[in-house]
Amino acid sequence: MRYTAFYASPMGKIGLSADEHGALTGLWFVGQKYAPLPGQNDEGGTPPPVLQKAARWLDAYFAGENPPIDFPLAPQGSAFQREVWALLQAIPYGKTVTYGQLAKQLQARRGGAIVAAQAVGGAVGRNKIALIIPCHRVVGAHGALTGYAGGIARKAQLLQMEQAGEAGV
């Protein structure tokens, strides 16, 4: 069973989804690339509290804070995608890394096996829990803003918001 809810953010409507175990499985800007199709909500039952917790997290995040993630996440994807998404979660608030840097981190973890930055980019782009698994913090070589399923303009806004929030810490 899947539960969905929507959140009105300053950057557009955000969809949230959770599984029957109470873990967050999705967070996306409505209409973004790779967003779940409308009408995929299972009806019935009580929505899990994680949807309200995620909404409170979004309230704090859009207020310029770096809120803790105190609820379970259940990202769904291949083993490689989940490995990349774990690296994304280690990117500090207000900071960025390049696709190439992530590829080198994976290469080191895998005992030197070459990992292409393009493969990393594919996994980053299919992140189903945006913002919380911060794919917007990944940039191209030399800091170029590339490849954000929610749109490059939103990516720029998110990074600018985080840098402003970081300065206040």
Side-chain angles (χ1 to χ4, degrees), residues 61 63-66 93-94 158-169:
Y61 179 78
E65 299 172 24
N66 180 17
Y93 180 89
L158 292 166
L159 292 174
Q160 184 177 37
M161 181 184 75
E162 286 188 11
Q163 288 167 354
E166 181 187 42
V169 174

Side-chain angles (χ1 to χ4, degrees), residues 71-104:
F71 46 88
L73 305 178
Q76 299 169 357
S78 70
F80 178 76
Q81 289 171 331
R82 289 190 311 272
E83 192 175 2
V84 170
W85 300 337
L87 291 177
L88 298 181
Q89 290 176 290
I91 304 169
Y93 180 89
K95 304 295 182 191
T96 60
V97 300
T98 67
Y99 295 98
Q101 288 171 321
L102 289 175
K104 285 180 183 175

Side-chain angles (χ1 to χ4, degrees), residues 101-155:
Q101 288 171 321
L102 289 175
K104 285 180 183 175
Q105 287 178 30
L106 283 174
Q107 183 174 337
R109 281 185 172 198
R110 293 172 162 220
I114 294 175
V115 177
Q118 293 84 354
V120 170
V124 170
R126 285 176 175 73
N127 171 24
K128 294 173 180 66
I129 307 177
L131 303 178
I132 292 174
I133 298 178
C135 52
H136 62 281
R137 295 181 189 152
V138 183
V139 297
H142 309 292
L145 294 186
T146 61
Y148 185 59
I152 297 298
R154 276 195 189 116
K155 183 174 190 165

Side-chain angles (χ1 to χ4, degrees), residues 23-100:
L24 192 71
T25 58
L27 190 156
W28 66 93
F29 286 100
V30 172
Q32 79 172 39
K33 190 174 184 181
Y34 308 121
L37 296 173
Q40 289 185 325
N41 191 22
D42 291 324
E43 295 183 23
T46 303
V50 71
L51 294 176
Q52 291 178 343
K53 288 180 180 182
R56 285 193 298 273
W57 185 94
L58 287 166
D59 286 341
Y61 179 78
F62 284 113
E65 299 172 24
N66 180 17
I69 300 161
D70 59 355
F71 46 88
L73 305 178
Q76 299 169 357
S78 70
F80 178 76
Q81 289 171 331
R82 289 190 311 272
E83 192 175 2
V84 170
W85 300 337
L87 291 177
L88 298 181
Q89 290 176 290
I91 304 169
Y93 180 89
K95 304 295 182 191
T96 60
V97 300
T98 67
Y99 295 98

